[in-house]
Amino acid sequence: MTAREAAKTLFEQLLSGASPDELAQRFDEDVDWFIPGDTSVVPWIGCKTGRVGVAEFYTQLGQGAKVKHFQIDTIIGDGDRCVVLGSLRTEVLGTGRDIESDFAYDIEVRDGLITRYHMFEDTWAVAKAFEPQAD
């Protein structure tokens, strides 16, 4: 399976409501997982370790946010590495605010499993969505 195929399959599963454990099975146990940002503000970002860490990410994301829009515009690359470009809108459940951001995923695979998963988004917009609303 190419990185392009792995990315498409992962995001299709995610949007169809697959469980965190089902999603985690798409990843290598030694996955290099990283989403930059302030982990004291956003609990699901940062580095994750193994399938347990991947499942933890999807569990925390599901408990803290609701994806309202997720669109892949293009996937660049073939073979074992690709970049996925698109946009998203996610509601932070604790504040009711939306995160609106373009994104880029850097994904690499080996033997059909994702070994590298780095997401880049507007971390300022993410942190801002976690701020309490002014009265």
Side-chain angles (χ1 to χ4, degrees):
M1 175 179 290
T2 68
R4 177 186 298 263
E5 293 165 335
K8 287 174 82 172
T9 301
L10 172 68
F11 294 126
E12 286 169 1
Q13 278 188 291
L14 174 64
L15 295 174
S16 72
S19 74
D21 288 331
E22 289 172 316
L23 295 168
Q25 293 307 307
R26 311 250 8 117
F27 292 82
D28 188 84
E29 189 58 44
D30 294 323
V31 63
D32 174 11
W33 176 291
F34 183 60
I35 302 173
D38 186 350
T39 57
S40 69
V41 175
V42 185
W44 56 78
I45 63 173
C47 293
K48 300 293 183 186
T49 304
R51 289 187 181 125
V52 169
V54 172
E56 176 187 59
F57 166 81
Y58 287 114
T59 298
Q60 290 173 321
L61 180 64
Q63 292 169 343
K66 177 183 174 187
V67 176
K68 293 180 163 181
H69 167 83
F70 185 92
Q71 178 178 320
I72 294 173
D73 295 327
T74 191
I75 301 177
I76 303 165
D78 250 337
D80 64 358
R81 194 160 188 191
C82 72
V83 173
V84 181
L85 303 174
S87 60
L88 60 80
R89 185 173 64 252
T90 305
E91 178 184 352
V92 175
L93 299 178
T95 65
R97 289 186 173 179
D98 284 354
I99 300 166
E100 292 191 53
S101 179
D102 292 332
F103 61 74
Y105 288 91
D106 175 4
I107 296 175
E108 192 168 356
V109 298
R110 182 180 60 244
D111 299 328
L113 296 175
I114 298 171
T115 58
R116 177 183 174 86
Y117 187 88
H118 288 207
M119 179 190 186
F120 303 95
E121 63 184 333
D122 182 349
T123 57
W124 184 84
V126 174
K128 189 85 173 150
F130 276 82
E131 291 178 1
Q133 300 230 14
D135 293 332

